[in-house]
Amino acid sequence: MTRSTSARGVWCFSELFFVKEPQDVTVSRKDPVVLDCQARGEAPITITWLKNGGKVSENERIYTLSNGSLYISEVEGKKGELSDEGFYQCLALNKHGAILSQKSHLTLARHHGNVCLGNRDMELVGVFVSGTISAFEVQPLSTEVQEGGVARFACKITSNPPATVTWEVNRTTLPLVMDRITALPTGVLQIYGVEQKDAGNYRCVATTAANRPSDLKPFHKPSIIAGPQNITASLHQTVILECVATGNPKPIISWSRLDHKSIDVFNTRVLGNGNLMISDVKVQHAGVYVCRATIPGTRNFTVAMATLTVLAEGNPVPKISWLKNGRRIHSNGRIKMYNSKLVINQIIPEDDAIYQCMAENSQGSILSRARLTVVMSEDRPSAPYNVHAETMSSSAILLAWERPLYNSDKVIAYSVHYMKAEGLNNEEYQVVIGNDTTHYIIDDLEPASNYTFYIVAYMPLGASQMSDHVTQHTLEDVPLRAPEISLTSRSPTDILISWLPIPAKYRRGQVVLYRVSFRLSTETKIQVLELPGTAAEHLLEGLRPDSVYLVRITAATRVGWGEASLWTSHRTPKATSVRAPKSPELRLEPMNCTTIAVQWQQDAEDTAAVQGYKLYYKEEGQQENGPILLDASDLEYTVSGLAFTVLKR
């Protein structure tokens, strides 16, 4: 690839790419239509058009313009071959190869006309009179709102072509330049900080293209009065997740994903005071989105959730990989790949390149391309500064920062990034919030863990550099569950209690004590022992032979004791001259990612006769597998078909 600079400083690239691609369009019969197609690259470039996969036959009515676009002077709607309805694509070809555009669906309008809504004499009114397109599915309803509150009207209609919904108040076009009034493309009108002058008769007008603040009242808790709804969208569509909240002080609206994955800030922006719009929807945008309304400076919040489902194809599930200028990309400290997302932090001029996402399975492969041009804009905001963090609890940290020193007026949103400070390949999480706050509480953290945070400020066409990183730890908490115990007897009068360490995510701090409780099954008296947090086993001695004992264990961090395990029963051996052998110590050697070789050796000082072995194994937190019966001469066994399995005798 080569590139040159014109006198005006515009970059020109020699690779073949589309400047304009055809879009879905709905027209009336006999109307003209133009399907755009413009490609750039090394000349000469030839443009041809396909309809439903076959070449378009050009004539006096249908022909290609000099700029590559397709012109149809009179759209035909007859059935069969004469109908112009269908899927159109343009093919751009030069000496280096060819590229095919996205599909454009041309459809004919089934109804046309417009609808104008009537009105009634009420304070804040939205009313409906049906029209000629179709019946309204959702009508605005009259409402009374306290001063300083939020008013919301909804208006929805189905038509072909899609209708455009606008709003009027007292039969005058409603001004939308005020920050507190938002009209969503979905037909919803939101009015924040309602004032007395807002009272009036509101109506929505649906038109198709086929015919030509006072003090707030003391609300104490935030309330989401219109939350996001579940949406199913196709690729490249635009979706809007609505979120309207009331409260005093005014709640801060923030968005996150339930799976803690990053929100795509470049294809996502906030409309009004908290509605989330995602444009050019892709597979990676699918998930559960959480709208959270929080009273500033408090942990008083409420949430609402909705699922975005993206329709896409791929069976078997394709493997995703990334290419930069034709070469495969590998993760490093600055460039990371999360499932189907490529994340590049701290952009540098060397990142300027053509990037391709390749999806491949046993049926073949497909590539999608994007150009990253690094522009060091002089008017982008500087990085947020004075970032500091304060521990709130075992799961929450308060993060605060100062607005950028330069061009802070251009900031439209902030993104809060955080990840665990220790370990490798930790996943980075992200929360996008509006530009009206400079603090945020992250409250889904793991106890007794260090986290690293940084902030990025976003403007419509770019972002600031990352802020300085700050690291803060969460407090410890009580263990979430008890250790898993194993009981064996070496003689008729003892029980060896052994246990595995609690996994870190359930330990929630450093275990400083264990409490072992035991009793005879026939008695109610419980004996209790406390052992140091470094212990992994304990031998109970002086017990009754041939008796059933119940044992349980509890773990404690510096904060306190967790829940005790369930009672586990064990019968001591009968009193006999035959001594039970000691349990052998296991040696585990991984053979591959699903197979482990188990070896053991009987203690030379143990004189007890061994008649055979029983081998048990289990995945942590799952049911036990076994026993596998082995001869006394067997000193090894290979367990296969495992996945991160913990073995025990």
Side-chain angles (χ1 to χ4, degrees), residues 331-497:
S331 293
N332 57 37
R334 195 173 59 86
I335 300 176
K336 294 183 179 180
M337 286 166 279
Y338 301 111
N339 297 325
S340 57
K341 295 186 289 292
L342 177 68
V343 179
I344 306 176
N345 293 307
Q346 297 173 302
I347 292 290
I348 57 178
E350 287 74 13
D351 295 322
D352 190 303
I354 295 176
Y355 292 84
Q356 290 176 289
C357 172
M358 182 167 65
E360 52 187 339
N361 61 16
S362 58
Q363 304 302 309
S365 64
I366 188 171
L367 291 97
S368 180
R369 183 183 63 181
R371 172 86 204 185
L372 172 60
T373 303
V374 179
V375 178
M376 305 303 290
S377 174
E378 294 182 358
D379 61 350
R380 68 173 179 168
S382 57
Y385 71 102
N386 194 22
V387 180
H388 52 282
E390 180 183 346
T391 300
M392 305 291 290
S393 68
S394 62
S395 62
I397 289 177
L398 170 65
L399 195 65
W401 62 92
E402 299 289 341
R403 300 181 187 277
L405 288 173
Y406 305 106
N407 297 318
S408 62
D409 58 318
K410 301 181 184 298
V411 174
I412 60 172
Y414 294 102
S415 62
V416 176
H417 302 253
Y418 59 100
M419 64 187 298
K420 277 192 170 182
E422 288 87 12
L424 299 175
N425 298 320
N426 289 324
E427 185 166 358
E428 182 175 282
Y429 303 117
Q430 177 193 34
V431 177
V432 178
I433 59 178
N435 63 352
D436 56 349
T437 184
T438 55
H439 60 270
Y440 189 75
I441 296 177
I442 300 95
D443 60 359
D444 57 353
L445 307 177
E446 293 183 10
S449 300
N450 288 323
Y451 284 85
T452 298
F453 304 85
Y454 68 89
I455 314 293
V456 175
Y458 285 88
M459 57 186 287
L461 296 178
S464 72
Q465 291 187 338
M466 295 185 296
S467 70
D468 291 338
H469 289 58
V470 61
T471 300
Q472 187 69 9
H473 67 279
T474 52
L475 299 176
E476 288 190 349
D477 208 334
V478 298
L480 203 56
R481 74 183 193 193
E484 297 182 9
I485 61 174
S486 175
L487 306 178
T488 58
S489 289
R490 297 179 177 179
S491 73
T493 59
D494 66 31
I495 295 177
L496 177 64
I497 308 169

Side-chain angles (χ1 to χ4, degrees), residues 115 117 126-130 134-141 152-158 165 167 186-189 203-206 229 242:
V115 170
L117 303 184
V127 279
F128 158 75
V129 175
S130 63
S134 65
F136 276 80
E137 299 175 39
V138 178
Q139 307 175 22
L141 302 175
R152 178 183 182 272
F153 298 125
C155 180
K156 183 178 180 181
I157 190 170
T158 299
V165 174
W167 288 88
T186 54
V188 172
L189 178 67
R203 67 176 186 171
C204 70
V205 179
Q229 303 297 311
E242 185 183 5

Side-chain angles (χ1 to χ4, degrees), residues 545-568:
D546 194 20
S547 300
V548 175
Y549 282 85
L550 301 179
V551 181
R552 68 180 181 186
I553 190 170
T554 311
T557 61
R558 296 180 183 88
V559 178
W561 293 96
E563 293 291 328
S565 66
L566 298 176
W567 289 104
T568 301

